[in-house]
Amino acid sequence: EIVLTQSPGTLSLSPGERATLSCRASQTVTTRSVAWYQQKPGQAPRLLIYAASRRATGIPDRFSGSGSGTDFTLTISRLEPEDFAVYYCQQFGMSSKYTFGQGTKLEIK
Amino acid sequence: QVQLMQSGAEVKKAGASVRLSCKIFGSTFNLHWVRQAPGQGFEWLGIINPSGGGTIYAQKFQGRFTLTRDTSTSTVYMELSSLRPEDTAKYYCTSEPAHESWYFDYWGQGTLVTVSS
């Protein structure tokens, strides 16, 4: 099973700042299988990025994804108040197995 | 646009079974189930193709997790048997838009399942 490790666990930033969230896989993953989600308290996750770098429908262009191999990054260029939430990366691997990272909490500084 | 409407919260005793539903409005290629224990991350349980009925289950849940569908009502059902307290979680159905998309574009609101010992 491929393990996804997200860092940092918690990121404290102010609105207007740039956020960089990391997702590292325990082995090489297919770039096309990497996605990022945002989850706010009491809500279902919301798809932000798929295929590592493609923005989902309706997602603002301040969100961007990059990476390949074992290292993937979600960047939020200028934080808006509504961006403070928990972010998860996800991948699909062998044995038809989907796995998620443990999440990065983005909190207001 | 796809909407997924899930059934309501359930409270069960250990050893019992639970059956949850997910009604699909719109069209999706595959329907997955994912769960999130309180304050935790996500765990993938399995997938069903609502059209053909084909299923794949996570190895961890094989033998006690079953997905079925009713095409007449566009509803998918998941059943988890031999419940344990550690099965307490919010269960989500979520859609995969096309073959080998490998991501989840729409999510149901989630169903909380509480298992007591």
Side-chain angles (χ1 to χ4, degrees), chain A residues 32 37 39 44-45 50 90 96, chain B residues 36 42 44 100 102-104:
Chain A
R32 198 162 70 85
Y37 302 87
Q39 187 181 36
Y50 65 96
Q90 167 252 306
S96 303
Chain B
Q36 184 177 33
F42 295 94
W44 179 78
E100 295 187 348
W102 299 329
Y103 63 89
F104 311 124

Side-chain angles (χ1 to χ4, degrees), chain B residues 1 3 5-6 14 17 31 37-38 48 54-55 76 90 100 108-109:
Chain B
Q1 181 89 3
Q3 282 188 295
M5 186 171 300
Q6 297 186 233
S17 297
L31 200 288
I48 185 168
T55 57
V76 167
K90 182 166 274 193
E100 295 187 348
Q109 81 275 22

Side-chain angles (χ1 to χ4, degrees), chain A residues 30 32-33 35 37 39 43-45 47 50 88 90 92 96-98 100, chain B residues 32 34 36 40-42 44 56 92 96 100-105 107-108:
Chain A
T30 304
R32 198 162 70 85
S33 77
Y37 302 87
Q39 187 181 36
Q43 296 185 16
L47 174 68
Y50 65 96
Y88 295 93
Q90 167 252 306
F92 171 80
S96 303
K97 179 80 170 177
Y98 289 82
F100 292 81
Chain B
H32 296 251
V34 172
Q36 184 177 33
Q40 303 299 311
F42 295 94
W44 179 78
I56 300 174
Y92 292 97
E96 181 183 6
E100 295 187 348
S101 298
W102 299 329
Y103 63 89
F104 311 124
D105 57 348
W107 294 67

Side-chain angles (χ1 to χ4, degrees), chain B residues 30-97:
Chain B
N30 281 329
L31 200 288
H32 296 251
W33 287 82
V34 172
R35 73 180 186 181
Q36 184 177 33
Q40 303 299 311
F42 295 94
E43 184 171 31
W44 179 78
L45 286 80
I47 174 178
I48 185 168
N49 179 273
S51 176
T55 57
I56 300 174
Y57 303 129
Q59 188 169 6
K60 174 180 176 180
F61 299 100
Q62 285 193 357
R64 69 183 192 105
F65 180 71
T66 305
L67 292 174
T68 57
R69 97 284 193 211
D70 181 343
T71 54
S72 68
T73 60
S74 299
T75 302
V76 167
Y77 298 93
M78 67 140 273
E79 183 166 354
L80 187 61
S81 61
S82 303
L83 288 168
R84 310 152 186 167
E86 53 265 37
D87 291 320
T88 293
K90 182 166 274 193
Y91 289 74
Y92 292 97
C93 59
T94 180
S95 65
E96 181 183 6

